[in-house]
Amino acid sequence: MSDSGGDTHGSVAPVSGRKRAHTNALELGPRKKVTTQDPLVHHGRHFGCAVHAFCNVQALLTNGILMMGENTDSNLESLTAEERKEYLVFRELLKRVPGLEAWIMQCGEDDVIAIAELIQKGANGSRADDTKSMKSTIIDWITPKGQILNPHIPHNIKAGALLCPAGLDWANSETKVKLSNGQIQIAGDQWPVLLYANYTYDPEDPWNGLLHSGLLVSAFKHIFTSPSSVDQEPKATRSGNARIHGMRYVTKASIAYVATQVRLLMCLFRERFYNSIIELLDDVDEKDEVGQLLTWWNRQVFPMYTDVERLPSKDSALARIREKRVAYNEMLSQGSGQA
């Protein structure tokens, strides 16, 4: 199998052996010694951060292959909402791993399982590594200079205030006690005020400032660009995770991933928290607000990002071509309506 467009990670090659202890699915030919991280693990790490953090990769590949065989790409409307969501995640995985689609469509079940295990290893490992790397850093971000803070202590004033669910008043002593001793149980879809700009929630306009927290921006830069970029302007040449993986804009899943990591470091982790954010950002009824949110994030993180729409010059050939195309489509539409 030939190299895929000169990608530095190579293209997917046949997998041999059952345990895959000494086989790299993304390199051609035998290896004498494993000296670097398997490319599938490498791609899996970014997949978990930017596409879906809690995916069962084996089930995703198996179901995705079956749906591809049913020509699902041209018939997405036949799928349920959950099936469509799963299939789109599957297609995104194929886009991010060079040569993967061609190989999984011709390899056996054991090979698919082995590939899935490596990708899963990368996704799980990335989540654990990000948690570890930010564990002490996030304490510094929320600790007043010269003081000591343990954010895992429920009654800690600073951490408690940030973790207080939006809509509840941390300043109310009764609420504070019930949250601290567990009388008030916090569900995964009860978002803390730490997600909001200036940690302020407006019940009359719940979108106002949502996911605009400076704490989240710092965490995003720490994970996707580099820890040093948190305290300085990011540079286009910086070789952080985003640049290594060709990530030029923020994804919905990457925002949810960062929010989940921050919440995990400050309290018990709930997968429902991550999924509830994804559900909101994927809601078509919220597309205007989500679009504005993504634009805001891209401006915070990627210095080369622009959302300026480049319209064709007035009276240019391109403008005239588009005008004629619009007129032609309208004529066809009117003709079909009369028929």
Side-chain angles (χ1 to χ4, degrees):
M1 190 174 182
S2 61
D3 182 69
S4 177
D7 186 89
T8 56
H9 302 301
S11 52
V12 178
V15 182
S16 62
R18 295 182 178 179
K19 297 183 179 180
R20 295 189 57 81
H22 303 290
T23 304
N24 188 332
L26 294 185
E27 289 186 2
L28 295 173
R31 297 184 303 172
K32 294 182 179 180
K33 184 179 180 180
V34 179
T35 57
T36 59
Q37 182 184 71
D38 191 299
L40 279 174
V41 176
H42 173 76
H43 288 297
R45 292 178 67 87
H46 188 65
F47 171 77
C49 297
V51 180
H52 203 287
F54 303 100
C55 181
N56 183 325
V57 179
Q58 182 177 332
L60 183 73
L61 289 180
T62 301
N63 295 343
I65 292 170
L66 291 174
M67 286 190 278
M68 284 183 69
E70 298 168 357
N71 199 27
T72 299
D73 285 307
S74 60
N75 197 26
L76 285 175
E77 63 275 6
S78 66
L79 303 178
T80 66
E82 191 62 30
E83 288 173 337
R84 184 161 53 249
K85 179 179 178 181
E86 179 180 318
Y87 187 68
L88 292 176
V89 171
F90 167 73
R91 295 299 308 183
E92 192 64 31
L93 173 60
L94 298 187
K95 285 167 54 179
R96 291 174 183 271
V97 183
L100 179 60
E101 180 175 355
W103 174 239
I104 63 171
M105 295 306 293
Q106 65 182 6
C107 70
E109 182 179 352
D110 288 345
D111 289 339
V112 171
I113 293 174
I115 290 171
E117 288 177 348
L118 289 171
I119 296 173
Q120 190 80 64
K121 178 181 178 181
N124 294 347
S126 178
R127 192 164 66 246
D129 289 346
D130 288 336
T131 300
K132 183 179 179 180
S133 69
M134 285 204 305
K135 190 171 185 179
S136 59
T137 304
I138 199 170
I139 297 176
D140 295 333
W141 292 341
I142 66 174
T143 305
K145 194 170 183 179
Q147 297 184 24
I148 298 175
L149 174 66
N150 184 344
H152 291 280
I153 299 177
H155 60 265
N156 183 281
I157 296 176
K158 180 67 173 181
L162 295 181
L163 290 169
C164 183
L168 296 182
D169 183 10
W170 179 254
N172 182 293
S173 58
E174 182 179 355
T175 298
K176 186 183 301 184
V177 169
K178 289 183 177 180
L179 284 170
S180 299
N181 62 23
Q183 283 183 268
I184 297 179
Q185 293 294 316
I186 303 174
D189 56 0
Q190 286 183 286
W191 300 335
V193 294
L194 67 83
L195 300 188
Y196 283 86
N198 301 316
Y199 314 126
T200 303
Y201 168 69
D202 180 1
E204 299 301 320
D205 185 8
W207 259 112
N208 184 23
L210 178 61
L211 298 171
H212 284 68
S213 163
L215 185 60
L216 297 186
V217 174
S218 294
F220 192 102
K221 290 181 178 180
H222 182 95
I223 292 172
F224 286 97
T225 55
S226 71
S228 62
S229 69
V230 174
D231 298 318
Q232 56 187 273
E233 285 296 317
K235 299 178 181 179
T237 57
R238 189 179 302 281
S239 297
N241 290 329
R243 183 170 177 80
I244 290 172
H245 292 277
M247 184 181 184
R248 297 183 297 275
Y249 53 85
V250 170
T251 64
K252 299 172 188 176
S254 63
I255 297 174
Y257 177 81
V258 167
T260 302
Q261 281 287 358
V262 171
R263 189 175 189 266
L264 166 62
L265 288 163
M266 298 181 66
C267 65
L268 293 177
F269 169 75
R270 296 179 187 273
E271 187 174 334
R272 173 60 184 151
F273 174 78
Y274 174 86
N275 288 331
S276 66
I277 294 178
I278 291 292
E279 288 170 9
L280 173 70
L281 299 183
D282 282 341
D283 190 336
V284 294
D285 293 333
E286 306 293 342
K287 64 180 180 180
D288 291 340
E289 288 80 1
V290 172
Q292 295 171 19
L293 173 69
L294 293 175
T295 296
W296 182 87
W297 268 95
N298 284 318
R299 289 172 176 168
Q300 306 303 307
V301 179
F302 296 105
M304 303 300 291
Y305 175 81
T306 176
D307 63 339
V308 177
E309 184 179 1
R310 299 185 183 279
L311 299 176
S313 301
K314 186 177 181 180
D315 297 327
S316 68
L318 176 58
R320 288 291 298 144
I321 289 172
R322 290 184 175 176
E323 288 174 5
K324 290 179 69 65
R325 173 57 60 187
V326 170
Y328 179 71
N329 289 337
E330 289 178 351
M331 182 184 69
L332 289 180
S333 178
Q334 292 173 1
S336 63
Q338 293 174 358

Short mmCIF file of all heavy atoms in Angstrom, two decimals, residues 137-160:
data_model
loop_
_atom_site.label_atom_id
_atom_site.label_comp_id
_atom_site.label_asym_id
_atom_site.label_seq_id
_atom_site.Cartn_x
_atom_site.Cartn_y
_atom_site.Cartn_z
N THR A 137 -1.35 22.92 38.00
CA THR A 137 -1.44 24.20 37.29
C THR A 137 -2.75 24.89 37.55
O THR A 137 -2.80 26.11 37.76
CB THR A 137 -1.26 23.97 35.77
OG1 THR A 137 -0.03 23.31 35.54
CG2 THR A 137 -1.28 25.29 35.02
N ILE A 138 -3.85 24.14 37.52
CA ILE A 138 -5.16 24.77 37.69
C ILE A 138 -5.32 25.36 39.08
O ILE A 138 -6.02 26.35 39.28
CB ILE A 138 -6.29 23.75 37.38
CG1 ILE A 138 -7.60 24.51 37.10
CG2 ILE A 138 -6.48 22.77 38.52
CD1 ILE A 138 -8.69 23.61 36.57
N ILE A 139 -4.64 24.76 40.06
CA ILE A 139 -4.68 25.33 41.41
C ILE A 139 -4.05 26.71 41.41
O ILE A 139 -4.55 27.64 42.03
CB ILE A 139 -3.95 24.39 42.40
CG1 ILE A 139 -4.67 23.04 42.48
CG2 ILE A 139 -3.87 25.03 43.78
CD1 ILE A 139 -3.98 22.03 43.37
N ASP A 140 -2.95 26.86 40.67
CA ASP A 140 -2.30 28.17 40.58
C ASP A 140 -3.21 29.19 39.90
O ASP A 140 -3.23 30.36 40.28
CB ASP A 140 -0.99 28.06 39.79
CG ASP A 140 0.05 27.20 40.49
OD1 ASP A 140 -0.01 27.12 41.74
OD2 ASP A 140 0.91 26.63 39.81
N TRP A 141 -3.97 28.74 38.91
CA TRP A 141 -4.84 29.67 38.18
C TRP A 141 -5.95 30.26 39.06
O TRP A 141 -6.36 31.39 38.85
CB TRP A 141 -5.49 28.96 36.99
CG TRP A 141 -4.54 28.58 35.90
CD1 TRP A 141 -3.29 29.10 35.68
CD2 TRP A 141 -4.75 27.60 34.88
NE1 TRP A 141 -2.71 28.50 34.59
CE2 TRP A 141 -3.58 27.58 34.08
CE3 TRP A 141 -5.79 26.75 34.56
CZ2 TRP A 141 -3.44 26.74 32.98
CZ3 TRP A 141 -5.65 25.90 33.47
CH2 TRP A 141 -4.50 25.90 32.69
N ILE A 142 -6.44 29.47 40.01
CA ILE A 142 -7.57 29.95 40.81
C ILE A 142 -7.17 30.35 42.23
O ILE A 142 -8.02 30.72 43.03
CB ILE A 142 -8.69 28.88 40.89
CG1 ILE A 142 -8.21 27.66 41.67
CG2 ILE A 142 -9.16 28.50 39.51
CD1 ILE A 142 -9.31 26.64 41.92
N THR A 143 -5.88 30.27 42.55
CA THR A 143 -5.42 30.61 43.90
C THR A 143 -4.91 32.05 43.97
O THR A 143 -4.04 32.41 43.18
CB THR A 143 -4.28 29.67 44.34
OG1 THR A 143 -4.71 28.32 44.22
CG2 THR A 143 -3.88 29.96 45.77
N PRO A 144 -5.45 32.85 44.85
CA PRO A 144 -4.90 34.19 45.04
C PRO A 144 -3.42 34.11 45.41
O PRO A 144 -3.00 33.21 46.13
CB PRO A 144 -5.74 34.75 46.20
CG PRO A 144 -7.01 33.96 46.16
CD PRO A 144 -6.60 32.58 45.72
N LYS A 145 -2.63 35.02 44.90
CA LYS A 145 -1.20 35.00 45.12
C LYS A 145 -0.86 34.99 46.60
O LYS A 145 -1.41 35.76 47.39
CB LYS A 145 -0.55 36.22 44.45
CG LYS A 145 0.96 36.12 44.34
CD LYS A 145 1.51 37.23 43.47
CE LYS A 145 3.02 37.08 43.30
NZ LYS A 145 3.59 38.14 42.44
N GLY A 146 0.03 34.07 47.00
CA GLY A 146 0.46 34.00 48.39
C GLY A 146 -0.39 33.11 49.26
O GLY A 146 -0.12 32.94 50.44
N GLN A 147 -1.46 32.52 48.70
CA GLN A 147 -2.35 31.65 49.48
C GLN A 147 -2.23 30.21 48.98
O GLN A 147 -1.66 29.93 47.94
CB GLN A 147 -3.79 32.13 49.36
CG GLN A 147 -4.02 33.53 49.93
CD GLN A 147 -5.47 33.92 49.88
OE1 GLN A 147 -6.36 33.08 49.86
NE2 GLN A 147 -5.72 35.23 49.87
N ILE A 148 -2.80 29.29 49.77
CA ILE A 148 -2.78 27.87 49.43
C ILE A 148 -4.23 27.42 49.23
O ILE A 148 -5.12 27.80 49.98
CB ILE A 148 -2.13 27.03 50.54
CG1 ILE A 148 -0.66 27.46 50.74
CG2 ILE A 148 -2.21 25.55 50.22
CD1 ILE A 148 0.03 26.76 51.88
N LEU A 149 -4.44 26.60 48.20
CA LEU A 149 -5.79 26.16 47.90
C LEU A 149 -5.81 24.69 47.53
O LEU A 149 -4.99 24.23 46.73
CB LEU A 149 -6.37 26.97 46.72
CG LEU A 149 -7.74 26.53 46.19
CD1 LEU A 149 -8.80 26.75 47.25
CD2 LEU A 149 -8.08 27.28 44.92
N ASN A 150 -6.72 23.93 48.11
CA ASN A 150 -6.96 22.56 47.69
C ASN A 150 -8.37 22.49 47.12
O ASN A 150 -9.35 22.48 47.86
CB ASN A 150 -6.86 21.60 48.88
CG ASN A 150 -7.02 20.15 48.45
OD1 ASN A 150 -7.49 19.85 47.35
ND2 ASN A 150 -6.62 19.23 49.32
N PRO A 151 -8.53 22.48 45.78
CA PRO A 151 -9.85 22.55 45.18
C PRO A 151 -10.71 21.32 45.41
O PRO A 151 -11.89 21.33 45.12
CB PRO A 151 -9.53 22.71 43.68
CG PRO A 151 -8.20 22.08 43.52
CD PRO A 151 -7.46 22.37 44.79
N HIS A 152 -10.14 20.22 45.94
CA HIS A 152 -10.94 19.03 46.18
C HIS A 152 -11.65 19.07 47.54
O HIS A 152 -12.42 18.19 47.86
CB HIS A 152 -10.05 17.78 46.10
CG HIS A 152 -9.58 17.51 44.71
ND1 HIS A 152 -10.36 16.91 43.77
CD2 HIS A 152 -8.40 17.81 44.09
CE1 HIS A 152 -9.69 16.80 42.63
NE2 HIS A 152 -8.49 17.34 42.80
N ILE A 153 -11.38 20.11 48.34
CA ILE A 153 -12.10 20.25 49.61
C ILE A 153 -13.42 20.96 49.33
O ILE A 153 -13.44 22.12 48.93
CB ILE A 153 -11.27 21.07 50.62
CG1 ILE A 153 -9.94 20.36 50.90
CG2 ILE A 153 -12.05 21.29 51.90
CD1 ILE A 153 -9.03 21.13 51.83
N PRO A 154 -14.57 20.27 49.50
CA PRO A 154 -15.86 20.83 49.11
C PRO A 154 -16.17 22.18 49.74
O PRO A 154 -16.80 23.02 49.12
CB PRO A 154 -16.86 19.76 49.55
CG PRO A 154 -16.06 18.50 49.61
CD PRO A 154 -14.69 18.93 50.06
N HIS A 155 -15.75 22.39 50.98
CA HIS A 155 -16.14 23.63 51.65
C HIS A 155 -15.18 24.77 51.38
O HIS A 155 -15.33 25.85 51.92
CB HIS A 155 -16.26 23.40 53.17
CG HIS A 155 -14.99 22.94 53.82
ND1 HIS A 155 -14.73 21.60 54.02
CD2 HIS A 155 -13.92 23.62 54.29
CE1 HIS A 155 -13.54 21.48 54.62
NE2 HIS A 155 -13.02 22.69 54.79
N ASN A 156 -14.17 24.54 50.53
CA ASN A 156 -13.26 25.62 50.20
C ASN A 156 -14.03 26.73 49.49
O ASN A 156 -14.77 26.47 48.55
CB ASN A 156 -12.14 25.11 49.30
CG ASN A 156 -11.13 26.21 48.99
OD1 ASN A 156 -11.37 27.05 48.14
ND2 ASN A 156 -10.02 26.19 49.72
N ILE A 157 -13.88 27.95 49.94
CA ILE A 157 -14.70 29.05 49.44
C ILE A 157 -14.51 29.27 47.95
O ILE A 157 -15.47 29.34 47.19
CB ILE A 157 -14.38 30.35 50.22
CG1 ILE A 157 -14.77 30.17 51.69
CG2 ILE A 157 -15.11 31.53 49.60
CD1 ILE A 157 -14.40 31.37 52.55
N LYS A 158 -13.27 29.39 47.49
CA LYS A 158 -13.02 29.69 46.09
C LYS A 158 -13.49 28.55 45.19
O LYS A 158 -14.25 28.76 44.23
CB LYS A 158 -11.53 29.95 45.87
CG LYS A 158 -11.15 30.28 44.44
CD LYS A 158 -11.71 31.61 44.00
CE LYS A 158 -11.18 32.00 42.62
NZ LYS A 158 -11.69 33.30 42.16
N ALA A 159 -13.04 27.33 45.47
CA ALA A 159 -13.41 26.19 44.64
C ALA A 159 -14.91 25.94 44.72
O ALA A 159 -15.55 25.64 43.71
CB ALA A 159 -12.65 24.95 45.08
N GLY A 160 -15.47 26.05 45.90
CA GLY A 160 -16.90 25.83 46.07
C GLY A 160 -17.73 26.81 45.26
O GLY A 160 -18.73 26.44 44.65
#
